[in-house]
């Protein structure tokens, strides 16, 4: 229900915002226009507003900020519609996913490689973050701004109720723990088996036997059935699923269902990104952040987790390219230490620019985030983040295929055919 | 001749004076020009553009397209996605339209009898018409969700094992969409049938009653044949709505999933054009859908033509 709510909100917001951008008026009269996915309900929005106001006070320039939730790729639709009408905003502040991966290749945005050098940001933004924003043609699609971590969350209080005293380290232990949890009447692993959250968990498990290069190649081109290591991962997934590791009927759940069930304590294990650390703070239970357990003969020696610098970044539009002087002032301002510090202040945001983990954890005001800085490093290996590699034209179909794979009893061969079907194979 | 008579004669003469002018083709064209321009710009123009786009290899709106003739159409028979969408569309039309027709006709007859509380029933029946597609989707996603109405009812009846995620199950998701389709189609059709039956002379039904006809006979042997042409109109409207309007319902309830189990032709036009980088191919499917609609209308018109009577 919440999923549909968000879809509708996203759709309505997108339509209204597209109409607003196309209608122009005051927005285009501003010196700088920004389209962002940081809506008023977003914890980071007040920080953006503070930054904009501070910049206006410092320079006397005017900035118009328009926002829409990015449900269903709404930001990409809004921007592309505005671009086709030559009414695009100067900057877009949003994540890198789906169609946005192709924006530089489509000339929808100005490649940011030269801008990084011209604006002396190459030294400020780490090379790994820039690599995350580099497309298959070698274009830097945008300027990385915020990153995320995406661990597995274990509610140790609920695990203890089932007689489990430590986080499972192997998939065999995970299966045994799931059985113990079920016996104690507690839901084991929960995730949105019908949407993006399930897709991330599924692809994390499937790549257990794949090298990072192999995983990237399959994410880009498909060919799951033809790749023996992908099939081994898929068989591992179906084995876990049919051994009852996931909650019943997981294929019908959304990310919102999953998060609310975990936060309320109904389910003991889930996987959530750093944007949920604030939700974690509301839990009184002892939550441990870790990764997906290791598997015998697998690629990774440590449990796996995701992290990438693609949570938010700045895209420069063709309209923005005509006012690079103004743009450079604003972007440089956005990366100033004061602004980065303000951005971390109780917002849950993790900047891509290097910050002291202890300071960042404290400044965030989030105990869960502080825990992520102290507990995760060295304890997990990073799996390949699918969003950077799965083509925009495949994303939606892949979400639908994921629902099939999460359905109990679907064999690995049928599951891989569903995944390949999303790639038109 | 009174003054009023004289004025009336002047008005008639005045109209006659304008008569020949109004039949002048140039003047007629000029007078209807705004409507013609509107029709050409917003009806014919997009249709011509649709046919043109269907001949392009055009992946995305932001990318240029190149002419490929009929390749998009030739590709369709071998495309499993198109075959699945065609099957689902046929199932949807084949189930929703006849079921809607029978239920709404029977309900319309019942309402025409003006049973106690019929005004309340009319208001209730009008509710789906007043609900937007998005509101309907909200309601039914709640009904079919894991913790929704159906599963809660099953659990309370001790039938927990039958509870399932109806919209996430490949075997039930399409059935759910068809049920919602029937629910939303029945209301307006019922009111239309009820209005049509009210126009039939009551003498016919009274005579039938005197001859010993019960409600069932009166409904199917008298009311149904008399309403035959009208039923054709209702069927045509609902056929077009199901064929072209199903995309919204699918998008809001299942987004075509799980897998591709609920994709319909109308939804696939959207999905190809906006999600799968295949704008030209999507437009080609829209052209096919256009002709399916035209053929369906011709078929329905023929099927509901009065037997042995005049056409049309």
């Amino acid at each position: 229900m919440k999923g549909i709510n968000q879809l509708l909100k996203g759709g309505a917001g997108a339509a209204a915002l597209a109409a607003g951008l196309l209608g122009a008026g005051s927005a285009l009269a501003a010196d700088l226009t920004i389209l962002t996915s940081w809506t008023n309900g977003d914890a980071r929005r007040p920080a953006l507003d503070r930054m904009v106001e501070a910049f206006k006070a410092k320079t006397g320039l005017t900035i118009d900020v328009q926002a829409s939730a990015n449900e269903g790729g709404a930001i990409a639709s809004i921007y592309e519609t505005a671009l086709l009408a030559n009414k695009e905003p100067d900057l877009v502040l949003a994540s890198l996913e789906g169609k946005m991966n192709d924006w530089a290749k489509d000339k929808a945005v100005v490649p940011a490689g030269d801008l990084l050098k011209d604006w002396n940001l190459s030294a400020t933004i780490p090379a790994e973050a820039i690599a995350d924003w580099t497309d298959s043609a070698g274009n830097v699609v945008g300027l990385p701004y915020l990153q995320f971590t995406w661990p597995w969350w274990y509610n140790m209080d609920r695990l203890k109720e089932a007689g489990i005293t430590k986080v499972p380290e192997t998939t065999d232990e995970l299966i045994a723990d799931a059985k113990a949890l079920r016996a104690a009447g507690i839901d084991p692993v929960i995730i949105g088996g019908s949407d993006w959250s399930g897709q991330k968990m599924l692809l994390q498990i499937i790549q257990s036997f794949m090298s990072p290069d192999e995983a990237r190649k399959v994410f880009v081109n498909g060919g799951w059935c033809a790749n023996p290591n992908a099939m081994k991962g898929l068989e591992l997934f179906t084995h876990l699923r049919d051994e009852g590791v996931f909650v019943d009927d997981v294929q019908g759940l959304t990310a919102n269902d999953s998060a609310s069930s975990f936060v309320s304590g109904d389910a003991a294990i889930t996987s959530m990104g750093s944007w949920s650390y604030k939700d974690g703070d509301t839990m009184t239970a002892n939550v441990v952040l870790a990764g997906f357990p290791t598997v015998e003969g697998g690629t990774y020696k440590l449990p796996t987790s995701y992290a990438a610098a693609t949570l938010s970044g700045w895209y420069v539009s063709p309209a923005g390219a005509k006012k690079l002087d103004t743009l450079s002032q604003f972007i440089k301002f956005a990366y100033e230490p004061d602004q980065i510090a303000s951005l971390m202040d109780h917002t849950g945001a993790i900047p891509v620019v290097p910050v002291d983990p202890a300071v960042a954890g404290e400044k965030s005001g989030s105990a869960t985030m502080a825990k992520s800085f102290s507990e995760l490093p060295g304890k997990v290996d990073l799996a390949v983040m699918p969003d950077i590699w799965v083509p925009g034209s495949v994303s939606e179909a892949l979400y639908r295929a994921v629902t099939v794979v999460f359905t109990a009893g679907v064999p690995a061969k049928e599951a891989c055919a569903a995944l390949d079907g999303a790639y038109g194979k | 001749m009174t003054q009023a008579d004289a004025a009336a004669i002047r008005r008639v003469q005045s109209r006659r004076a304008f008569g020949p002018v109004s039949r002048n083709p140039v003047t007629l064209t000029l007078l209807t020009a705004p409507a013609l321009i509107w029709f050409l710009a917003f009806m014919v123009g997009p249709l011509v553009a649709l046919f043109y786009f269907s001949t392009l290899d055009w992946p995305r709106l932001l990318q240029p397209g190149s002419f490929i003739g009929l390749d998009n159409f030739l590709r369709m028979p071998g495309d499993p996605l198109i075959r699945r969408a065609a099957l689902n569309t046929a199932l949807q039309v084949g189930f929703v339209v006849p079921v809607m027709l029978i239920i709404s006709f029977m309900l319309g007859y019942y309402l025409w009898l003006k049973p106690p509380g019929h005004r309340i029933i009319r208001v209730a029946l009008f509710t789906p018409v007043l609900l937007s597609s998005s509101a309907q989707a909200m309601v039914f996603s709640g009904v079919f969700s894991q913790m929704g109405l159906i599963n809660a009812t099953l659990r309370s009846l001790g039938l927990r094992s039958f509870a399932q995620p109806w919209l996430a199950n490949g075997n039930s998701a399409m059935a759910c969409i068809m049920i919602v389709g029937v629910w939303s189609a029945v209301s307006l059709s019922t009111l239309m049938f009820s209005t049509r039956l009210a126009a039939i002379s009551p003498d016919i039904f009274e005579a039938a009653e005197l001859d010993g006809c019960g409600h069932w006979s009166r409904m199917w042997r008298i009311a149904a044949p008399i309403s035959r042409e009208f039923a054709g109109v209702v069927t045509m409207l609902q056929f077009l709505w199901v064929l072209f309007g199903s995309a919204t319902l699918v998008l809001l309830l299942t987004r075509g999933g799980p897998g591709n189990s609920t994709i319909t032709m109308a939804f696939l036009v959207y999905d190809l054009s906006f999600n799968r980088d295949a704008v030209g191919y999507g437009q080609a499917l829209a052209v096919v859908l256009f002709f399916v609609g035209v053929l369906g209308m011709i078929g329905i018109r023929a099927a509901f033509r009065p037997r042995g009577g005049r056409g049309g």
Side-chain angles (χ1 to χ4, degrees), chain A residues 196-212:
Chain A
W196 53 269
S197 64
Q199 184 237 37
K200 299 300 171 295
M201 183 178 276
L202 169 68
L203 299 191
Q204 184 179 4
I205 295 172
I206 289 181
Q207 61 181 297
S208 292
F209 297 96
M210 303 167 84
S211 68

Side-chain angles (χ1 to χ4, degrees), chain A residues 123-406:
Chain A
T124 310
I125 302 172
E128 310 85 68
I130 294 169
D132 283 349
W133 281 76
T134 304
D135 66 21
S136 55
N139 300 305
V140 181
V141 185
L143 302 164
Y145 199 48
L146 298 183
Q147 58 177 313
F148 63 81
T149 52
W150 199 326
W152 279 47
W153 301 43
Y154 295 88
N155 182 335
M156 294 312 296
D157 290 352
R158 302 256 48 197
L159 289 172
K160 271 177 196 158
E161 284 175 42
I164 304 159
T165 54
K166 67 177 184 64
V167 167
E169 288 170 5
T170 66
T171 48
D172 288 339
E173 286 179 17
L174 180 63
I175 291 170
D177 289 354
K179 287 186 174 163
L181 285 163
R182 280 178 178 274
I186 301 165
D187 283 337
V189 179
I190 194 160
I191 199 69
S194 65
D195 64 15
W196 53 269
S197 64
Q199 184 237 37
K200 299 300 171 295
M201 183 178 276
L202 169 68
L203 299 191
Q204 184 179 4
I205 295 172
I206 289 181
Q207 61 181 297
S208 292
F209 297 96
M210 303 167 84
S211 68
D213 279 345
E214 203 175 13
R216 284 184 204 108
K217 201 174 156 194
V218 176
F219 288 167
V220 172
N221 302 310
W224 303 86
C225 296
N227 186 298
N229 289 331
M231 282 309 291
K232 274 174 82 177
L234 205 42
E235 273 154 17
L236 169 68
F237 179 86
T238 53
H239 177 62
L240 293 173
R241 182 199 63 200
D242 294 340
E243 286 290 331
V245 164
F246 306 109
V247 299
D248 293 341
D249 296 326
V250 64
Q251 77 274 18
L253 299 177
T254 64
N256 286 316
D257 297 332
S258 168
S260 57
S261 179
F262 180 80
V263 170
S264 66
D266 290 342
I269 305 168
T270 192
S271 158
M272 293 195 289
S274 46
W275 50 90
S276 298
Y277 288 154
K278 284 269 174 196
D279 296 328
D281 294 338
T282 63
M283 297 176 69
T284 51
N286 174 24
V287 172
V288 169
L289 303 177
F292 168 66
T294 55
V295 59
E296 196 181 337
T299 303
Y300 298 96
K301 300 301 165 211
L302 295 172
T304 56
S305 169
Y306 287 127
T310 55
L311 186 61
S312 293
W314 300 96
Y315 300 87
V316 178
S317 75
K322 291 175 188 160
K323 41 176 110 166
L324 283 179
D325 284 346
T326 309
L327 223 58
S328 71
Q329 284 185 63
F330 179 75
I331 291 292
K332 285 177 187 170
F333 185 75
Y335 283 92
E336 282 179 7
D338 286 352
Q339 299 309 318
I340 295 294
S342 165
L343 191 60
M344 287 188 294
D345 196 2
H346 289 78
T347 62
I350 311 174
V352 296
V353 299
V355 289
D356 183 338
V359 174
E362 187 187 331
K363 191 137 187 72
S364 70
S366 163
T368 316
M369 181 173 282
K371 206 185 284 184
S372 77
F373 285 119
S374 62
E375 289 180 0
L376 283 176
K379 206 166 82 174
V380 292
D381 281 332
L382 293 183
V384 177
M385 180 62 193
D387 282 358
I388 304 169
W389 303 99
V390 173
S393 59
V394 172
S395 298
E396 274 293 320
L398 198 59
Y399 294 152
R400 299 204 297 258
V402 164
T403 310
V404 176
V405 184
F406 268 100

Side-chain angles (χ1 to χ4, degrees), chain A residues 4 80 99 106 249 400, chain B residues 60 63 146 252 255 259 274:
Chain A
I4 235 195
E80 290 180 8
K99 291 179 178 178
D106 289 345
D249 296 326
R400 299 204 297 258
Chain B
R60 297 181 59 188
Q63 293 174 345
Q146 239 146 312
L252 291 170
R255 300 173 101 165
F274 293 99

Side-chain angles (χ1 to χ4, degrees), chain A residues 1 4-5 7-8 72 80 83-84 99 102-103 106 108 248-249 251-253 392-393 396-397 400-401 403-404 421-422, chain B residues 60-63 134 137-138 141-142 146 163-165 168 251-252 255-260 263 267 271 274-277:
Chain A
M1 187 66 127
I4 235 195
N5 209 355
L7 179 68
L8 294 173
E80 290 180 8
L83 182 69
L84 288 167
K99 291 179 178 178
D102 296 326
W103 273 2
D106 289 345
D248 293 341
D249 296 326
Q251 77 274 18
L253 299 177
S393 59
E396 274 293 320
R400 299 204 297 258
T403 310
V404 176
Chain B
R60 297 181 59 188
L61 292 173
L62 292 176
Q63 293 174 345
S134 47
M138 288 283 285
S141 74
Q146 239 146 312
Q164 58 171 302
L251 177 68
L252 291 170
R255 300 173 101 165
N260 294 316
I263 53 167
F267 174 78
D271 199 38
F274 293 99
N275 291 331
R276 290 178 181 259
D277 287 2

Side-chain angles (χ1 to χ4, degrees), chain B residues 140-164:
Chain B
F140 280 97
S141 74
V143 169
F144 293 122
S145 75
Q146 239 146 312
M147 303 309 291
L149 184 68
I150 293 178
N151 285 344
T153 307
L154 287 171
R155 286 189 191 101
S156 67
L157 294 173
L159 301 169
R160 195 181 182 85
S161 60
F162 289 97
Q164 58 171 302

